[in-house]
Amino acid sequence: MMDPLPDVRRTAGALVCLLAFLAAPVAAPVAAQSVDDLPPVTDTYALTDARVIQAPGQVLDPATVLVRDGLIEAVGTDVSVPYDAREIDADSLVVYAGFIDGLSHAGVQRPESGSDDEEDGNEAEVDPGDPPTDRSGIQPDRSVRSFLAPDEKTLEALRKIGFTTGHVVPEGRMLPGSGAIVQYGGASAGDLVLEPKPSLFAQIQPADGYVYPATDMAVIATMRQLFREAARRQNLQEAYRENPDGRRRPPRDPVHSALFPVLDGSLPMAFYADDALSIHRVLTLQRELGFPLLLAGLAESHAALESLETADAPLFLTLDLPEEPARSAESDTIAADTTDRPSRFYDPDLRTASYRDVSAEAENLELRHAAERKKYLRTAALLEEADLPFGFTTREADAGDIRSHLRTMIEEGLSAEAALAALTTRPASLLGLDRRLGTVEDGKIANLVVTDGSYFDEDTSVRYVFVDGRLYDYASESEEGEVTGEASAVVGTWSYTLETSQGDFSGTIEIEGDASGLSGTFVGPQGDEQDLQSVSWDGTTLSFSVDSPQGGSATVSVTVEGESFDGSVSGSGQSFSISGERTRSPDR
Amino acid sequence: MLSASLSRRLFLLCALLLGLATALPDAATAQKEPGRQGVFALTNAQIVVSPTDTISSGTVVIRDDSIAAVGSGVAAPNDAEVIDCSGQTVYAGLIDGGTRLGIEEVGSLSETQDFNEIGEVTAHMNALTAVNPNSVHIPVTRVHGITTVITEPSNGMLPGTAALIDLHGYTPRQMHAAGVTLTKLDFPSVGRQGPSDDRSPETIEKESQKALDKLNEVWDRAERYARIDSSVTAAEGRRQPEYIPAMEGLLPVIRGEQPLMITANAASDISVALDWAEERGVLDQVILSGAMEGWRVADEIAEASVPVLVGSVMQPPSRESDRYDRAYETPSLLRDAGVTVALRSGKTENVRNLVFHAGFAASHGLGKSGALRAVTTAPAEIFGIDDLVGTVEAGKKANLFVADGDPFQPTTDVQHLFIEGYKLPLENRQTKLRDEFLNRTPGLSE
Amino acid sequence: MTDSISARLLRAVGGVPLAVVLATLLAAPATAQDRLRADAPDDWLIQDATVLTVTNGTIENGDILVRDGDIARVGTDLSAPSGAEVYDASGEYVMPGIIEAHQHIAISNVNEATNQVTAEVGVGDVLNPYDIGIYRALAGGVTTVHVMHGSANPIGGRNETIKLRYGVTDPQGLKMEGAPRTVKFALGENPTRVYGQGRDQQPRTRMGVEQVIREALRKAERYAEAKEAYENGERDRPPEHSERMEVLAGVLSGDVIVQCHSYRADEILMLMRVFEDFGIQDLVFHHVNEGFKVAPELAAFGDDGAGASVFSDWWAYKFEVYYSTAYNAAVLTENGVNASINTDIPGEQRDMYLQAAKTKRYGDLTDDEALALITINPARQLGIDDRVGSIEEGKDADLAIFDDHPLSVYTKPQRTYVDGVVRFDHEEDPDDMRLRVDPEGTVDLARDGYDRDRRKSCLKGVTFLQATESGLTLQHSH
């Protein structure tokens, strides 16, 4: 189960259908052709004539960044391009340090649903009041390292918008296990890990399926129990080590032992807490038990600012923001202004009078929701104003929304400089990685983001990302396929034959649409359907990509001549021939 | 305020005196005396004839089941048992516009619940059938001056008919007050069904629309059923419609012979219900019940001339954003808009708290006489029996009580109670438990 | 919103730096952890009121001087020192802030209904200061509430005594500092329904409830002994740490007051016998619908008697409360039991004063006896009577002001002070008093059918369990 990377070449016979092929590992989806299919020839790169943001507010322009052996070898205005470098003309491009994700599950392979058989099978035998620790969500002895997969989709999506490193934690309930500092790119799971055990992940999250702890309060009580019993066991073990004579062997178990470094103060508890109540609860628990703390989430830190100011913990703010509901106020007058009876005792923004006029009342209440939403949009700015150093966490955010959320935060008062710091230098120092990451300086790990403008401009795209000196090329990628040829020449149903080392397979491809865009479906040999992505057609070449449900994707590029085509399918470092004929067209 | 022990002694003394006057051997048997009719003269009483008309001192004569005479100059008839009511006040019996009295005994025991027949459309069910005249709750309720209540079924959209019952009698029929029967319609709701309902707004809207479609479908059929049924009666040789009990149950409403009590609480539900009733041509039969958010659409309700049974009054508001006391104000906001307002407790075991609901409504805008009206004359008018009950006037049914103060005040005690002329003992299981255990014997000894 | 406030303002003001604009737009209050104004006074002279001290009679035209949140002086013709605000209470009544010994407002969880014994959990760990129920209680003159774990387990979790400091958003800010610790026990139908009927586990009967409790206390005794033995050097290692046993050991040592959900006379007697066996003195029964039957035994329990916190008149919602009487509080009081009245159900905590007033009708208690049921008596039951529960110099200035006698049905709360600051004022009270709203939400839907649902959702533990089960994920949203 933990091996999500079946080797297509070793898998036998019928299993080698096209979808199995698609499921094969794809290190860099679209860049595969340029980087992975052929040996890259060199891993030395020179980005020349670039605008280099070495750190927030620290710019070299124009300058050259030289990458070699996974490190930044040189940065400067007078760096010459060595003989072995692949030169990338970065005129009009901007180079940033790779972004660092303060807490996420990127790269963590989720077990397939249904495969977790123990839950169904043993349910009846579990005493809800005293379940085994793993059912309670108490798994501090696990490590996220055993769940990492380099082709996991979130990790790919985050890398594409510039995240190159993250503090990755396992999924689970109250104590899911220890995290790792993970590079968001690499050939193997082992490659990804930069630091093996920076934290123990925790959250106030009751157990699944109504067993103990079924409530937040029981989770908190369980944390106390675990810490205090761990302390007792640690003492017993130390005493035993010093003098085993005539003593009973102290109890030993992986769960309590996993907490020893936390008790020593050498391993922080990384808590995820989004709402104000959870933030307060975690801070209270921390004051009580005295563990080193890292806090992520913090969506409602605007409502817990005073407590956060006194907390001694690295902070990572969520990149998720509340969505505007379907029914929302049009106007942006703050609801607070609508009361006719201001209070001498409470803050004015509490007051919203309701009226007998039902629609006016509704409008008023919607305004209050809008004003509340505003607080979340402004939270990052607020943390900056309060001088609280913070990074970001992507855990609850969709990668596709992150850039627009960053823009919103900046519109609401976060300085672009602080935003960049929160993506680079802040998390580097908060996670103790600042000697290796966070800036574009020689000697640092070559984690870079190269864009064609300011990262915070809407029109800017990410062109290249370097992780550990490994290039991910997004320059040639166009999100939408382009249709310049006569659409009717390809629309319809095509039957295809795919020639692989394991034999030939056939299926159909449906294409529909017109000059404004094409779309379609790829039907595998066993009838499985996948949507076509980025369908392009220029009158000669038809190309599109297909995502595998297991992760990864394949690119299909064929030359169309009349009613037949010929071309190739490539992905995961392989390429196969494909040919086909149209069996149904618009005029038939 | 008298100390408890002193007032107990007084009570005993009064009982003894009363016992002597009525030639009964002692107080203990007096407590067990069942209700009895006769001729009674309540003398030297302040008489609240109606919420707006008070006689400062006078006599009320009760003969058999009716009030024979009321006035300051009225003399006690020779055959009357005279009850001196100096310092006390006579009020008309209070009416609760919505309860489950008699059809539910213990809240958690379904074996004791007869208000909730299975089925969405069970308009042929009659609450009166299942009224238990010996329910422990009935005497617990009436000692507070509450003489008459609506008892109503629920569960499903058309759960059956509610009945107006007097809180004395040995058969449901004896209790049925003036034959008042209302068909109940629990209108499809867009509100949340209590604090644990976490359906999305979209789901709620969809489900309530579905329920409304269903209601229209049922009503279409009921109208068709009534039309065919009428035409069969009109001419010979026509074929009866297929017998459908629920449709049969709706006939009196469709024919305009029976009121339709619509339960609706959310503002939009009320609006939709009024529109629906107008479309269906039953608006003039409609009595609205619940109406928690009626204040939001008070003008619409007034416009439709639909009376409202509001309540319960003492409950939190319908939305977190509403004022904490909005439910207390609802009766007055509706009354101010021109709506005829009566109160309902919505309870079984604590219908007795109707008096406090009225007190809260009074202090929140309704005023004392407005609140009294909402539990006497207004419900009498709404149920079409204002010629029979609701006031202390000659010719009316002798549903009345005598209290030593304002009936809504917790400090007040009811002294005498008459329902249909029956003088009823002011006892119930709760008072008996008090009597038995106040000074328990044996006490602490093992 | 497509056009943000800041963007608009920025256009309007041209060159002013963005940060400055925003600072003025959303100033400090949005971030403060107490939504009460920073300059809200806590020095007051409340003048010319009828002062119902509860413990020292009634003062006509009385004055109360409040300094730094405490009652500094009580008397007549007091003068206002400089800096003190004056509240003219002529024609009005001041009583001690109302104390409710049994509620479930202001907490995120009620029952940890997975285990028969869960003394280690505590609702104090999951206080929710955003609950609108806090404000609604204040609007009824309530200032202190004992918020409780539910009644699903024979031994439930710890409760928390809170002050209704509405506006405070740090949950810690609600706690009444120094209030004794208490733990919930529960007898009768609720635990037997959850475990016996629901899970086919003990207890299914009242016999089983007794033995579950005895077993837990015996284990706690052993635990405490083992700890002591280790501390005295008679044992080489401490026993395995148990948060659960720590709390129960506190019950045995008298540090933790037991607050026990109960109804029937037999189960009340049972727990008193068990506690006598273990030498436990601090015991308050809650609901106690049949307390009137065993009032002499309650009064004679331990050194000071067992307390009884009852409903005014609720009954018949299940079989074990069918043989109830509304005269319960009066019978208990007449028999010398320290009794209080509670409302239990969130949503009904606003009219405590009326619930107390009902004892005038049901048992003719005196005014002071009736008021004591919601002030000094519950304060004694919670072990906080040195701080609250009466109007006495030196106590916390928790005060409730009414426009009529608080035992009149027509009275309306005017003002409620907690620690000398006004947290409710009838005159300055807009409709929407929520401290926060869902940023992704829209106008609330009306809640319909409160009466239909209340028993199921609120009253007693079994149903809390169901509500909790279905609402688990919700609790982690806003």
Side-chain angles (χ1 to χ4, degrees), chain A residues 162-249:
Chain A
F163 284 89
T164 57
T165 311
H167 170 216
V168 174
V169 296
E171 297 188 49
R173 296 283 166 162
M174 63 175 282
L175 286 169
S178 60
I181 302 296
V182 168
Q183 293 283 63
Y184 282 4
S188 70
D191 249 12
L192 299 179
V193 177
L194 186 62
E195 276 295 319
K197 198 173 175 185
S199 70
L200 207 56
F201 182 43
Q203 46 192 354
I204 299 180
Q205 174 79 8
D208 195 15
Y210 217 77
V211 299
Y212 191 94
T215 55
D216 290 0
M217 61 183 170
V219 169
I220 292 169
T222 304
M223 296 263 186
R224 285 194 190 103
Q225 169 67 34
L226 288 168
F227 270 81
R228 290 176 175 152
E229 174 59 13
R232 187 188 75 104
R233 290 180 181 222
Q234 199 180 27
N235 286 337
L236 288 177
Q237 286 188 19
E238 272 163 23
Y240 187 71
R241 233 190 338 269
E242 278 167 26
N243 183 13
D245 270 6
R247 281 176 193 258
R248 203 153 28 115
R249 192 162 51 88

Side-chain angles (χ1 to χ4, degrees), chain C residues 51-90:
Chain C
V51 178
L52 307 164
T53 68
V54 177
T55 48
N56 290 309
T58 298
I59 306 168
E60 300 294 339
N61 298 314
D63 301 339
I64 300 171
L65 182 63
V66 174
R67 303 298 303 257
D68 302 326
D70 292 334
I71 299 173
R73 288 195 62 193
V74 183
T76 48
D77 300 323
L78 302 182
S79 55
S82 68
E85 299 246 350
V86 174
Y87 178 78
D88 177 7
S90 47

Side-chain angles (χ1 to χ4, degrees), chain C residues 425-463:
Chain C
D425 186 300
H426 177 68
E427 290 294 316
E428 304 198 18
D429 181 65
D431 292 26
D432 184 4
M433 283 301 293
R434 293 170 297 173
L435 290 177
R436 66 167 178 188
V437 296
D438 178 1
E440 295 186 331
T442 183
V443 182
D444 273 8
L445 280 176
R447 181 183 44 71
D448 191 357
Y450 175 77
D451 285 331
R452 257 176 277 180
D453 194 77
R454 56 186 273 259
R455 283 188 189 128
K456 279 199 214 120
S457 69
C458 303
L459 205 73
K460 313 303 110 24
V462 182
T463 44

Side-chain angles (χ1 to χ4, degrees), chain B residues 374-441:
Chain B
V375 290
T376 54
T377 50
E381 285 162 25
I382 292 171
F383 301 131
I385 51 169
D386 45 328
D387 54 334
L388 281 176
V389 296
T391 59
V392 185
E393 290 174 297
K396 292 218 168 155
K397 197 154 80 166
N399 280 8
L400 53 82
F401 65 99
V402 183
D404 60 5
D406 179 341
F408 303 152
Q409 281 288 18
T411 44
T412 298
D413 286 322
V414 170
Q415 305 291 337
H416 307 285
L417 170 70
F418 295 85
I419 298 179
E420 289 195 316
Y422 283 90
K423 183 171 190 316
L424 296 168
L426 295 168
E427 64 171 20
N428 54 47
R429 193 162 77 198
Q430 300 214 343
T431 62
K432 287 175 184 169
L433 286 171
R434 171 203 59 196
D435 296 342
E436 181 178 356
F437 286 99
L438 182 60
N439 294 303
R440 198 188 76 190
T441 328

